[in-house]
Amino acid sequence: MAPVPGLVSSIAQCCRVESQHCPPPRNAPDTTEPDLFPDADPPPSPATKPHKGRGAPTNPDSRFSSWTRSVADDGWNQEASAAPDTEVFVDSAKTVISHNDSPDLPFTQSLNPYRGCEHGCIYCYARPSHAYLGHSPGLDFETKLYYKPEAAKLLRKELGKPGYVCKPLAIGTNTDAWQPIERRLRITRGVLEVLHELKHPTMLITKSSLVERDIDLLAAMAREQLVHAAISLTTLDGELARRLEPRAAAPHARVETIRKLSAAGIPVTVMVSPVIPGLTDHELEKLLVTAREAGAASASYSVLRLPRELHALFERWLAWQAPEKAARVMTILYDMRGGRSNAGNDPNIENRMHGLGHFADLLAQRFALHVRRLGFPGLPTLDCSRFLSPGRGSPCNDQQLGLF
């Protein structure tokens, strides 16, 4: 018997539709392949436009928060939120000297007059430390600032302890000691006055031109081999710097600071830091040449690190400021950090500053070659023998004498 025209095709179509909607048998084996490389981190949030003059685009909850907030657009409020103002709080610290035994750092003790930093550098590794204060590493880090009004007094007290051994003291290792509020508060100036009076050696790190205000003290200390200055340069591109470091000194101003400090006899190191692969690494040689011409006596570099909450913050910044480069930047960072899931932070001391892999090796070779070609003379050794312990008024060459 001949089939009815169109019947066969109608039955086949019905079977296909039914097979798409029918669930598989209860005991059917799962033929899907497991994901051998699941994402350890959630996908980044959509790009968010940062406020003018601020680095972080958002204010994410810290890792210690007992809740998580998310922003949703319901279509009603179309007005842009106002830029947050800077708030300043007192930090009632009991001590001001911090100690470390990290072999990849050139100092064992440091002092930070401020917590939080108004410079707002999006890449700042200190951002996660704001979570210890109950604040967000995002906008809170650059708008909720803490200062230590008794820093100079506490420093004098700690330097006068009987068991204190004089070693170079680094200033501004976590947050910039010459950030904008220092112009009014002068906490760092007071600390320098104590160090100068007691002839205590120090190393300072900043990206602020405000340090030029203190050239009188620094030059006097330099004549007795008591100070080194380090100025960080990330890029010479003014527009990129404005987005990376919205309230820090412009690149040309920092180069001029290197020139003025060097002219005053203060040994200066240029810190090409951080090197952001795929974004600023191509400027390495030009940065070194510019700094050497300005009078820098030494140079160093470090690769971008993205600890804890900083990873997501930097990804959001990239998504808005450099979307066409975001994938390349994060891919190279992932490779330089040994494939770690957070794609930017290697706690291994040996690789923390310079990274791993072929890209890291090439970067190290480029840096070493140009430092050798440019003839950086190096820094003089800081003199710890001149230290005058408070209340005794004589050099403490013999630390045992201070016990009597």
Side-chain angles (χ1 to χ4, degrees):
M1 185 173 89
V4 179
L7 181 60
V8 176
S9 60
S10 299
I11 294 175
Q13 183 177 1
C14 291
C15 291
R16 284 197 300 269
V17 173
E18 188 171 348
S19 65
Q20 293 174 2
H21 294 279
C22 291
R26 180 171 297 178
N27 296 326
D30 185 7
T31 59
T32 59
E33 296 183 1
D35 186 0
L36 299 179
F37 303 98
D39 293 332
D41 296 327
S45 302
T48 306
K49 182 179 180 180
H51 296 287
K52 184 177 180 180
R54 298 297 183 186
T58 57
N59 219 13
D61 297 308
S62 75
R63 59 191 179 279
F64 301 122
S65 298
S66 56
W67 62 83
T68 300
R69 295 169 292 182
S70 59
V71 178
D73 184 8
D74 58 6
W76 285 97
N77 185 13
Q78 300 297 329
E79 297 180 1
S81 57
D85 295 327
T86 300
E87 301 177 79
V88 182
F89 307 93
V90 172
D91 184 347
S92 302
K94 303 301 181 183
T95 61
V96 290
I97 298 180
S98 301
H99 301 271
N100 78 83
D101 57 0
S102 182
D104 63 342
L105 296 177
F107 56 88
T108 58
Q109 55 183 12
S110 58
L111 185 152
N112 291 281
Y114 302 101
R115 305 177 82 171
C117 185
E118 197 174 2
H119 283 162
C121 306
I122 188 58
Y123 52 72
C124 183
Y125 59 80
R127 283 183 177 272
S129 66
H130 229 46
Y132 294 114
L133 301 176
H135 298 312
S136 169
L139 284 170
D140 283 354
F141 176 76
E142 48 196 280
T143 59
K144 298 183 185 301
L145 312 179
Y146 289 76
Y147 71 99
K148 303 172 183 178
E150 301 294 323
K153 180 180 178 181
L154 292 171
L155 174 61
R156 184 185 293 274
K157 180 180 178 181
E158 291 184 60
L159 296 183
K161 290 182 178 179
Y164 179 77
V165 178
C166 180
K167 298 178 181 178
L169 179 69
I171 299 178
T173 56
N174 198 51
T175 58
D176 203 307
W178 283 269
Q179 58 180 288
I181 60 173
E182 164 63 16
R183 189 180 303 277
R184 172 170 55 91
L185 297 177
R186 300 174 68 88
I187 306 297
T188 305
R189 174 77 183 190
V191 167
L192 286 179
E193 289 172 348
V194 171
L195 294 173
H196 178 228
E197 175 190 343
L198 302 179
K199 299 187 183 301
H200 193 291
T202 185
M203 301 181 291
L204 59 94
I205 304 169
T206 184
K207 55 168 58 76
S208 173
S209 294
L210 183 58
V211 70
E212 297 173 13
R213 177 201 64 186
D214 300 322
I215 283 181
D216 58 333
L217 287 175
L218 298 176
M221 296 176 72
R223 286 193 288 270
E224 299 181 278
Q225 294 186 356
L226 295 176
V227 68
H228 292 164
I231 305 297
S232 65
L233 273 176
T234 309
T235 177
L236 293 176
D237 182 344
E239 177 58 29
L240 178 58
R242 186 183 62 80
R243 291 178 283 157
L244 275 172
E245 314 152 328
R247 298 200 179 190
H252 69 273
R254 279 180 251 179
V255 173
E256 187 61 26
T257 296
I258 294 176
R259 183 173 287 107
K260 289 181 179 180
L261 292 177
S262 300
I266 302 163
V268 179
T269 293
V270 59
M271 297 177 61
V272 183
S273 176
V275 176
I276 306 176
L279 192 63
T280 66
D281 61 285
H282 65 282
E283 296 187 68
L284 177 63
E285 291 82 2
K286 189 175 180 181
L287 287 165
L288 291 173
V289 169
T290 303
R292 183 69 187 103
E293 290 175 348
S298 179
S300 68
Y301 81 99
S302 63
V303 176
L304 176 66
R305 294 187 292 126
L306 300 176
R308 303 187 184 276
E309 297 93 341
L310 186 55
H311 177 218
L313 278 171
F314 187 73
E315 276 198 319
R316 282 193 173 190
W317 181 90
L318 274 177
W320 181 265
Q321 301 287 8
E324 72 286 354
K325 298 180 179 180
R328 173 173 168 76
V329 171
M330 298 309 297
T331 298
I332 299 176
L333 275 177
Y334 188 90
D335 178 67
M336 294 183 74
R337 296 304 179 184
R340 292 179 60 84
S341 61
N342 63 357
N345 186 47
D346 186 357
N348 190 322
I349 296 298
E350 297 178 358
N351 310 313
R352 181 170 60 165
M353 296 300 178
H354 299 150
L356 291 166
H358 298 300
F359 197 97
D361 293 342
L362 180 60
L363 200 62
Q365 292 172 17
R366 290 168 55 195
F367 176 81
L369 177 63
H370 275 74
V371 167
R372 186 167 61 251
R373 283 181 176 176
L374 294 170
F376 284 90
L379 300 174
T381 302
L382 293 175
D383 189 355
C384 295
S385 65
R386 299 174 183 270
F387 173 57
L388 303 173
S389 182
R392 286 193 286 273
S394 60
C396 294
N397 296 325
D398 186 355
Q399 295 294 335
Q400 294 296 324
L401 292 178
L403 300 177
F404 297 96

